[in-house]
Amino acid sequence: MATIRTAHTVWNGSLMEGAGQTTLDTSGLGTYDVTWKARSAESNGKTSPEELIAAAHSACFSMAFSNGLAEAGYTADEIRTQAEVDFVPGTGITTSKLTVSAKVPGIGEDEFQQIAASAKAGCPVSQALAAIKITLTASLES
């Protein structure tokens, strides 16, 4: 059975001068201001679709990586993932750059890199973003 999550946005005005609010309906965690300026220049306390995609990608990758580690017999002490989603006005979303550093007792570098690469490929958000370039830099901390 599919799990469905919802959010909604109310937008007022034109693209350039208008503004909107995006609400996370399922979790009820909040309502966030969005503007074109926040999307194409400085955020100034507002969010953008790309920031929301980056949040989704970093969370999804972290979960997939944690699961891959567990399947290989490891438990991470900590996984820190950053996703940087690039938006080019007139072109669209072009890349998502994942950067992960993790403390994983007992794992070797090669296995760590293999599991990270598999998590990148297997993460459902990565799969949804298949039309763009996704890169991964993974660092094993001691």
Side-chain angles (χ1 to χ4, degrees), residues 125-141:
V125 173
S126 290
Q127 293 172 0
L129 297 174
I132 66 169
K133 181 178 180 180
I134 299 171
T135 62
L136 172 65
T137 303
S139 301
L140 176 60
E141 295 184 12

Side-chain angles (χ1 to χ4, degrees), residues 10-68:
V10 176
W11 187 269
N12 301 104
S14 69
L15 174 62
M16 299 298 186
E17 289 83 30
Q21 290 192 317
T22 297
T23 301
L24 305 180
D25 296 324
T26 304
S27 65
L29 289 176
T31 298
Y32 304 93
D33 293 332
V34 293
T35 63
W36 173 254
K37 187 173 181 180
R39 187 174 197 185
S40 61
E42 296 299 318
S43 63
N44 293 322
K46 296 173 178 60
T47 194
S48 67
E50 292 72 30
E51 184 177 32
L52 297 170
I53 290 169
H57 204 186
S58 68
C60 183
F61 173 85
S62 295
M63 291 176 179
F65 189 40
S66 176
N67 186 57

